[in-house]
Amino acid sequence: MDWKTLLSPVRVRTAATRSGSGRDLRSEFEKDYHRIIGSASFRRLQDKTQVFPLDKSDFIRTRLTHSMEVSSIAKSLGQNISQDILQNGRDPEFDWQMKEDICNILQCAGLIHDIGNPPFGHFGESAIREWFRENLPKLKFQGEPVTKLLSKQMLADFYNFEGNAQALRLIAKLHFLVDEHGMNLTYALLNTIVKYPVPSTQMNPHSGDIKDKKMGFFFAEQELYQKIAKETGTLGLRHPLTFILEAADDIAYKTADIEDAFKKGCISYHTLLKELERYEQTASQREKEYFNAAGVLRDKYAAAGKRRIADREEYAVQNFLVRVQGMLIACATYGFINHYDQIMQGTYKYDLFEFTYARGLMKLLGDIAYRYVFITNPIFKLEVAADTVLRSHLDRFVAAALYYDTQVPQRDVEEKLIALISENYKQAYHACAAGKSEEERLYLRLLLVTDYVCGMTDSYAKSLYQELNGIV
């Protein structure tokens, strides 16, 4: 792979030249940024769960604030890595314009990397997958089992439903503003957000290669992805910038989850300190010399005392996490540069932290969040409620969509349910369904339902559930 091809500014639809006295001096990737922040899909992230569903605190992160943090970190990593490539002559064709383009692409990618996620966080994805695994085998269309009508890949799309794949679908098709090409973003940006460049039938979480862990696109977007991969020269390999985006995401959520958990009272300063001290008992001497995590936390607590800070524990935890982020950014930069040739050849199989001093700490932070937040009773209660909401919506809307846009008359209530679905999504469905076989049209109607459900905010999903079930 080479950077000139990887940074392709090509779009599905070429913008028409507009007359006027002013000249647009923005690069194609800067134009992407403005398209994203002006979109309704991006704004909806402000009411979508990061960790704590339907939380009323204005401090706890949402998908929107998380995405902004990822965007900032990704751009910083892009600056560090690009500067190293330039200064050390790792690629004689790499220039300053490429550095600027990389930073702009990563900034945009951070904003949209979670844009396809359903309401209620990652649990929403699990609920959708489980519903289809339980119910698709029971569904019939014109007397035939749906599982016999749909192809293996179509079925696997629903059984392994992924917010990552939905993100590509959303920005490339569902944001129906001008036409069926959605936001019409550049191919370089679209490829960067495809974390897993494999379809649902080829995913293999046990392959040892990070790119096979999940699916990256639905059957409906397979042709589009192939065009993107051909244009950018990845040919089914991970785009190099995807490694950077993933590292930025990991840095953002693994530090933010600890901070949010502290604010919610799920973990205390003393508990965090004990966890870090226990970790250092097994860490190597070089890891401890590079970053003494427990020591940094203690130092921040002592500094709070010297500064006469009222809440020493809050000060210590927050400033400790700032230092952790800086260390992780340095390690991710090293991870990319140290494996530069493998990444550019498409043979690197791991995340950027795997062979750095940050590997152990990253695993610890994730483990702490899991034990003190994700498997606690408050989260369990919220997830049970979310499951009830999502299952109710899927029960109703899948039944209504089965015979939508067919010769079979729908019941009055089914027509009313379809009327609730956004016209943008229905327009995108009709654009894609035109000229397709009956089986593919059925597949697209099921996707129409997941499009609608994934587009819901947490609050809308909850309020719609209450309205449809007569709950005042």
Side-chain angles (χ1 to χ4, degrees):
M1 294 182 281
D2 66 89
W3 287 112
K4 184 176 181 180
T5 308
L6 288 166
L7 303 179
S8 171
V10 170
R11 307 176 190 273
V12 174
R13 170 175 37 81
T14 303
T17 303
R18 296 178 182 178
S19 59
S21 57
R23 181 169 172 239
D24 193 342
L25 299 178
R26 297 173 299 168
S27 72
E28 292 302 313
F29 308 117
E30 289 173 314
K31 293 175 184 176
D32 281 345
Y33 179 84
H34 290 279
R35 294 181 186 207
I36 292 164
I37 62 172
S39 70
S41 301
F42 179 67
R43 291 195 298 276
R44 288 192 191 102
L45 293 174
Q46 68 186 313
D47 188 16
K48 285 197 173 187
T49 295
Q50 177 61 22
V51 175
F52 298 94
L54 300 169
D55 193 90
K56 292 181 171 57
S57 168
D58 59 2
F59 176 87
I60 301 302
R61 289 166 173 82
T62 64
R63 285 285 175 194
L64 179 64
T65 50
H66 166 70
S67 297
M68 293 169 69
E69 289 173 345
V70 174
S71 175
S72 175
I73 295 171
K75 184 175 182 179
S76 295
L77 284 170
Q79 290 171 327
N80 291 353
I81 291 167
S82 297
Q83 187 65 24
D84 185 278
I85 296 172
L86 282 169
Q87 286 185 341
N88 293 294
R90 297 182 188 279
D91 188 333
E93 296 185 356
F94 195 88
D95 58 30
W96 288 98
Q97 183 59 55
M98 290 178 179
K99 175 184 177 180
E100 183 177 338
D101 290 344
I102 284 173
C103 292
N104 286 327
I105 292 169
L106 287 169
Q107 183 178 34
C108 291
L111 294 178
I112 59 175
H113 79 286
D114 273 349
I115 204 167
N117 281 39
F120 311 120
H122 288 297
F123 180 78
E125 292 175 290
S126 299
I128 292 172
R129 284 193 291 265
E130 289 179 6
W131 189 93
F132 279 108
R133 289 171 185 172
E134 292 174 15
N135 292 280
L136 266 190
K138 304 174 187 176
L139 288 179
K140 289 189 176 182
F141 177 74
Q142 296 183 338
E144 288 290 323
V146 168
T147 51
K148 289 188 177 180
L149 295 173
L150 301 186
S151 71
K152 182 179 179 181
Q153 184 175 348
M154 292 175 185
L155 291 171
D157 283 356
F158 296 111
Y159 294 157
N160 302 284
F161 189 85
E162 269 296 323
N164 292 298
Q166 184 68 19
L168 177 63
R169 176 169 173 77
L170 174 63
I171 59 181
K173 291 183 178 178
L174 302 184
H175 190 75
F176 202 107
L177 183 62
V178 176
D179 55 25
E180 69 275 16
H181 301 309
M183 294 186 194
N184 194 36
L185 303 178
T186 58
Y187 279 4
L189 175 54
L190 293 178
N191 205 350
T192 297
I193 69 164
V194 179
K195 292 174 66 175
Y196 312 103
V198 294
S200 56
T201 49
Q202 294 178 22
M203 54 181 282
N204 181 4
H206 307 296
S207 72
D209 192 330
I210 196 169
K211 75 176 182 63
D212 302 328
K213 184 179 178 182
K214 301 175 183 177
M215 70 166 169
F217 49 87
F218 297 121
F219 170 77
E221 282 70 58
Q222 183 162 291
E223 184 178 342
L224 170 64
Y225 173 72
Q226 290 170 346
K227 289 180 180 178
I228 293 169
K230 182 178 180 181
E231 173 63 32
T232 54
T234 57
L235 303 175
L237 303 174
R238 247 194 180 194
H239 194 293
L241 296 186
T242 307
F243 287 96
I244 302 175
L245 173 64
E246 183 176 54
D249 188 20
D250 289 344
I251 293 170
Y253 83 78
K254 289 202 174 181
T255 53
D257 286 357
I258 300 298
E259 186 176 15
D260 287 355
F262 175 82
K263 284 287 187 178
K264 292 288 290 183
C266 299
I267 187 171
S268 67
Y269 163 83
H270 296 289
T271 302
L272 178 58
L273 181 59
K274 287 180 181 179
E275 291 284 351
L276 295 173
E277 289 173 340
R278 191 177 298 119
Y279 157 69
E280 292 195 342
Q281 292 174 6
T282 59
S284 70
Q285 186 61 34
R286 287 190 176 183
E287 283 179 297
K288 288 184 283 189
E289 289 174 357
Y290 184 75
F291 189 79
N292 183 351
V296 171
L297 182 58
R298 283 192 294 265
D299 289 346
K300 295 302 178 183
Y301 186 83
K306 292 178 181 178
R307 292 173 179 270
R308 298 183 179 180
I309 304 294
D311 192 334
R312 296 173 66 180
E313 294 184 4
E314 180 180 64
Y315 178 92
V317 171
Q318 289 183 322
N319 282 274
F320 162 75
L321 292 171
V322 170
R323 283 284 305 276
V324 170
Q325 279 199 353
M327 184 273 282
L328 295 178
I329 287 172
C331 286
T333 300
Y334 172 83
F336 190 96
I337 294 302
N338 199 45
H339 299 96
Y340 181 77
D341 291 338
Q342 289 173 277
I343 289 172
M344 295 302 290
Q345 292 164 9
T347 59
Y348 187 67
K349 300 180 179 181
Y350 311 95
D351 65 40
L352 298 185
F353 302 103
E354 183 66 20
F355 303 101
T356 73
Y357 293 136
R359 179 176 177 270
L361 184 58
M362 287 290 283
K363 289 188 176 181
L364 174 68
L365 294 176
D367 183 56
I368 291 173
Y370 176 76
R371 287 186 284 113
Y372 290 95
V373 180
F374 295 108
I375 57 171
T376 59
N377 285 341
I379 293 294
F380 286 162
K381 290 177 182 178
L382 291 168
E383 289 180 342
V384 170
D387 184 71
T388 301
V389 170
L390 292 175
R391 282 179 175 272
S392 176
H393 290 330
L394 290 168
D395 286 341
R396 280 189 165 91
F397 286 98
V398 168
L402 276 178
Y403 293 99
Y404 169 63
D405 192 34
T406 70
Q407 298 299 314
V408 180
Q410 287 186 289
R411 293 189 301 133
D412 187 50
V413 68
E414 292 171 344
E415 290 182 351
K416 288 179 170 60
L417 285 166
I418 292 297
L420 293 176
I421 297 178
S422 166
E423 287 300 322
N424 275 4
Y425 297 155
K426 287 185 282 193
Q427 285 179 327
Y429 159 76
H430 287 293
C432 294
K436 296 294 194 304
S437 67
E438 190 59 54
E439 292 75 19
E440 191 166 344
R441 289 164 66 87
L442 172 60
Y443 163 76
L444 292 171
R445 289 197 295 277
L446 293 175
L447 276 184
L448 174 61
V449 176
T450 54
D451 292 339
Y452 180 50
V453 171
C454 285
M456 295 179 182
T457 63
D458 292 11
S459 298
Y460 179 77
K462 177 186 175 183
S463 63
L464 181 64
Y465 168 80
Q466 292 172 329
E467 291 168 356
L468 296 182
N469 285 279
I471 301 172
V472 179

